[in-house]
Amino acid sequence: MIKVNDAFYMQLAIEQAEKAREIDEVPIGAVIVYEDEVIATGYNVREHSQDTLSHAELIAIQQANQKIGSWRLEDCTLYVTLEPCPMCAGAIVQSRIKRVVFGAFDPKAGCAGTLMNLLEEERFNHQAEVTAGVLEKECSELLTNFFKALRKRKK
């Protein structure tokens, strides 16, 4: 169920994604909210860092762990512009994030409902509530435009 502030916080995640786009990274952004306060942000820097783990969600999770002083993010909501991949979905489950809100669906790697749903898998000891498609058009266009420009530059 979409909540009142979901679009507001997703817009902040889009702003993070724009930071990635500005440095020629795939434009994916994330924010983590605790008690109506943004406590962590992240954007994709995998190409710059050459680190597999440099996804927006993982960067934001690490920041939130430091801010809260715990690996448990039980009362937090993660907003991310693209449906989490299997690696990020696993980290979300392990960090005990309560709720995940994403914008664009990921037909190639989405693990919050598209290919599978690791976040609501009942066999795990923790599940996260999922809200999909918040500002989906804006999030999708960011990615579509980025990859169009990339293909054009490569020609």
Side-chain angles (χ1 to χ4, degrees):
M1 179 175 87
I2 296 176
K3 297 183 180 178
V4 176
N5 289 334
D6 286 350
F8 173 79
Y9 290 121
M10 185 60 72
Q11 187 59 50
L12 297 179
I14 289 170
E15 290 171 16
Q16 290 297 309
E18 290 284 356
K19 291 178 181 181
R21 185 189 53 75
E22 288 168 9
I23 60 169
D24 281 332
E25 290 279 357
V26 178
I28 302 167
V31 299
I32 295 179
V33 176
Y34 174 73
E35 296 181 347
D36 293 323
E37 178 188 345
V38 174
I39 62 164
T41 61
Y43 55 89
N44 195 38
V45 292
R46 191 168 60 174
E47 292 301 323
H48 277 70
S49 69
Q50 289 300 303
D51 180 352
T52 304
L53 304 178
S54 294
H55 285 203
E57 300 97 317
L58 298 182
I59 291 166
I61 287 170
Q62 287 181 323
Q63 276 185 21
N65 292 147
Q66 291 170 358
K67 175 82 175 182
I68 287 181
S70 174
W71 64 269
R72 290 180 182 90
L73 303 176
E74 295 169 321
D75 294 317
C76 294
T77 299
L78 168 69
Y79 293 85
V80 61
T81 56
L82 182 65
E83 180 180 4
C85 72
M87 176 177 68
C88 292
I92 291 163
V93 169
Q94 290 299 312
S95 67
R96 309 294 194 264
I97 287 174
K98 184 177 189 173
R99 183 167 177 255
V100 175
V101 180
F102 72 86
F105 290 84
D106 186 351
K108 294 182 179 178
C111 285
T114 298
L115 297 179
M116 64 186 65
N117 191 340
L118 292 176
L119 299 178
E120 295 178 316
E121 173 55 59
E122 292 179 5
R123 292 175 291 181
F124 291 137
N125 67 337
H126 175 77
Q127 293 81 39
E129 174 191 335
V130 176
T131 302
V134 173
L135 299 185
E136 180 180 1
K137 182 176 182 276
E138 294 89 334
C139 293
S140 294
E141 284 177 357
L142 249 178
L143 290 158
T144 300
N145 293 340
F146 173 80
F147 285 111
K148 277 183 186 174
L150 186 64
R151 285 190 296 274
K152 193 174 183 179
R153 282 197 310 261
K154 286 186 175 182
K155 285 184 179 180

